[in-house]
Amino acid sequence: MNTLAIDIGGTKLAAALINSQHEISLRTEIPTPAHAEPQALEQAMAHLVAVYEGKAQRVAIASTGIIDNGILTALNPDNLGGLNQFPLQATVERLTGLPCVVLNDAQAAAWAEYCHLSAQFKHVTFITVSTGVGGGIVINGELLTGPHAFAGHIGHTQADPNGPMCGCGRVGCVEAIASGRAIAAGAQHDLLGKNAREIFALAQEGNEQAQQLVARSAQAICQLIANLKALLDTECIVLGGSVGLAQGYRLQVEKQLATLPVAFHVPVYSAHYLHDAGLMGAALWSEYRAV
Ligand code: ADP
Ligand code: BMX
Ligand code: ZN
């Protein structure tokens, strides 16, 4: 059984084949359409899946946004062109002729990382710091999705009541401070127009403004982790996403966390599946649900 796994993010669309031994092959990646109207996303998806024709027996998708019964709605329209009630599952089933399961990207990644850690932990929380900030919560070995599939949208808990407006319409969300987009949006003067990847590179070279933007992000994620520890008593945190996995980022979060009272301490790991956590999680979830 081969699963065509697809990860739809605010910056990139990734796809790969995952076999029954959970080996990944034929990984491809294209940019997320800048204005992801339904037609643009559908076109990009058609392009992405064409490579895999005849190679898979099912499709498993990890996607940014609230994924309720196969239907995608952007919580933060800045991240995905304001898609509202987009029939993702039905669209991909039509494009491929295969059965398809769809899950939020961070929920999927949480499932993959939990499966990897399950001998050690039953309570695992995944945080992606990427275009946005997303989350997936596993409690007692079960993935928490919630009655409206909204569970885990921890990027939209408040970090600063006086902070910037978030694309979701709420003030001072973690995502508005810590995400790749927020890091880029905070850049001024000589850093204006730079993206998060460029800002991280400049921080490594000693640029003070870049270092402050990265530290501000890490600080918001540290406080989010402390809140999650108090709320869930989670046994570990797994960090993913291109910002979360960037060199030195986890260490900064850990250093900040170590300054808080001990009750808030929790081990923080980098995603075992690195940038493939969403792909692997979607595939493992479809296997678990036996789609
Ligand atoms: P997606 O959100 O589509 O899943 P990513 O996890 O790659 O994609 O996150 C995209 C964000 O990560 C962008 O803001 C991008 O600038 C930033 N980014 C990409 N590579 C790096 C890097 N090496 N270091 C820091 N930030 C990065
Ligand atoms: C946003 C939200 C979440 C998603 C998170 C990370 C949208 C479109 N997405 O908070 O559903 O899990 O971003 O997404 O509202 P990524 O694109 O950064 O991977
Ligand atoms: Zn928000």
Side-chain angles (χ1 to χ4, degrees):
M1 166 77 90
N2 275 334
T3 304
L4 166 56
I6 299 175
D7 187 348
I8 302 177
T11 300
K12 61 181 197 298
L13 309 180
L17 278 185
I18 300 186
N19 67 15
S20 313
Q21 283 75 48
H22 305 145
E23 292 157 337
I24 297 183
S25 61
L26 273 181
R27 194 186 192 286
T28 57
E29 211 173 281
I30 56 173
T32 305
H35 301 287
E37 303 96 10
Q39 299 81 352
L41 184 61
E42 184 168 341
Q43 234 172 36
M45 295 296 290
H47 181 73
L48 196 68
V49 301
V51 183
Y52 300 93
E53 206 182 324
K55 293 188 164 67
Q57 290 73 52
R58 66 179 169 207
V59 185
I61 307 181
S63 175
T64 189
I66 301 165
I67 311 294
D68 198 5
N69 281 316
I71 295 177
L72 187 168
T73 296
L75 174 63
N76 182 349
D78 291 351
N79 287 4
L80 205 61
L83 281 184
N84 192 12
Q85 298 279 309
F86 177 70
L88 182 59
Q89 181 183 345
T91 301
V92 174
E93 284 183 345
R94 179 165 41 74
L95 287 173
T96 60
L98 297 172
C100 171
V101 67
V102 194
L103 194 64
N104 168 269
D105 55 356
Q107 290 173 351
W111 186 247
E113 297 297 325
Y114 163 70
C115 290
H116 174 67
L117 292 164
S118 62
Q120 229 181 322
F121 301 121
K122 291 287 169 238
H123 304 263
V124 174
T125 304
F126 178 85
I127 303 176
T128 177
V129 191
S130 36
T131 311
V133 172
I137 297 165
V138 174
I139 294 183
N140 218 2
E142 283 189 27
L143 181 67
L144 189 71
T145 51
H148 311 99
F150 190 45
H153 276 76
I154 53 183
H156 303 277
T157 55
Q158 198 179 49
D160 179 0
N162 302 307
M165 176 64 94
C166 180
C168 76
R170 203 176 172 200
V171 169
C173 289
V174 173
E175 179 160 304
I177 293 169
S179 67
R181 257 174 188 272
I183 291 170
Q188 293 178 331
H189 314 297
D190 51 317
L191 298 194
L192 256 181
K194 304 246 180 264
N195 66 29
R197 181 205 292 266
E198 293 161 337
I199 292 168
F200 268 79
L202 287 162
Q204 293 279 344
E205 288 166 20
N207 180 299
E208 264 184 40
Q209 192 202 154
Q211 287 174 345
Q212 274 166 17
L213 288 165
V214 173
R216 189 176 73 131
S217 164
Q219 173 67 20
I221 295 299
C222 161
Q223 294 299 336
L224 172 65
I225 290 172
N227 290 343
L228 288 165
K229 180 73 194 319
L231 190 67
L232 303 168
D233 192 17
T234 191
E235 290 174 291
C236 73
I237 297 285
V238 180
L239 265 187
S242 289
V243 173
L245 292 168
Q247 207 194 339
Y249 187 83
R250 179 172 61 92
L251 199 65
Q252 282 205 39
V253 171
E254 284 180 313
K255 278 190 177 157
Q256 302 269 9
L257 195 58
T259 67
L260 298 186
V262 72
F264 297 95
H265 293 185
V266 55
V268 182
Y269 302 113
S270 295
H272 168 76
Y273 291 110
L274 300 170
H275 299 272
D276 294 335
L279 290 172
M280 185 57 82
L284 290 173
W285 186 250
S286 67
E287 193 179 296
Y288 179 68
R289 301 283 303 270
V291 172

